[in-house]
Amino acid sequence: MAQRRRLVADIARQRISRLFELALEIYKTDLDLADRYVELARKISMRARVRIPRRYRLLYCKGCGGILIPGVTARVRVRSLREKHIVIKCLRCGRFIRHPIQLR
Ligand SMILES: [Zn+2]
């Protein structure tokens, strides 16, 4: 059973990555479709109970579920108050995401 779970999780992760890659290709010509891909990826993530891969985690809005593209649907600012972090604002629903930056 654990083996089956791993297989399901692997397939889910592959599909999630593929959907995000497709969304990043299509957003310039069809933003609605890009949003739809992100929505599907998140549904797969929930159904299969796998996390969205780290590199895609800042790519969607937790408020409206839309894709976040800097300069298109999102505004990104770097702030160094206290610890250094970036602030991403969704331009469609106004939600902010605050994300710390690790400096090594
Ligand atoms: Zn939003």
Side-chain angles (χ1 to χ4, degrees), residues 61 63-64 90 92-93 95:
C61 174
C64 64
C90 174
R92 289 185 279 186
C93 74
R95 191 176 174 114

Side-chain angles (χ1 to χ4, degrees), residues 67-81:
I67 190 165
L68 292 175
I69 306 289
V72 182
T73 61
R75 192 192 72 192
V76 180
R77 294 286 183 268
V78 179
R79 306 270 293 153
S80 32
L81 210 68

Side-chain angles (χ1 to χ4, degrees), residues 3-66:
Q3 210 174 345
R4 193 184 133 68
R5 159 91 187 118
R6 203 178 313 142
L7 186 70
V8 168
D10 279 349
I11 293 168
R13 268 188 287 267
Q14 281 168 30
R15 287 194 183 150
I16 290 165
S17 296
R18 182 83 187 115
L19 283 163
F20 271 104
E21 293 304 322
L22 284 171
L24 286 173
E25 281 170 29
I26 203 76
Y27 79 85
K28 280 178 208 145
T29 47
D30 194 340
L31 193 58
D32 286 342
L33 190 56
D35 285 338
R36 178 85 184 119
Y37 286 155
V38 169
E39 190 191 339
L40 280 174
R42 294 182 68 195
K43 274 188 182 157
I44 291 168
S45 151
M46 280 182 264
R47 203 183 316 136
R49 284 179 289 128
V50 297
R51 307 188 87 189
I52 302 281
R54 190 192 297 268
R55 65 185 180 282
Y56 302 124
R57 221 167 282 163
L58 295 177
L59 223 62
Y60 63 89
C61 174
K62 277 139 202 104
C64 64

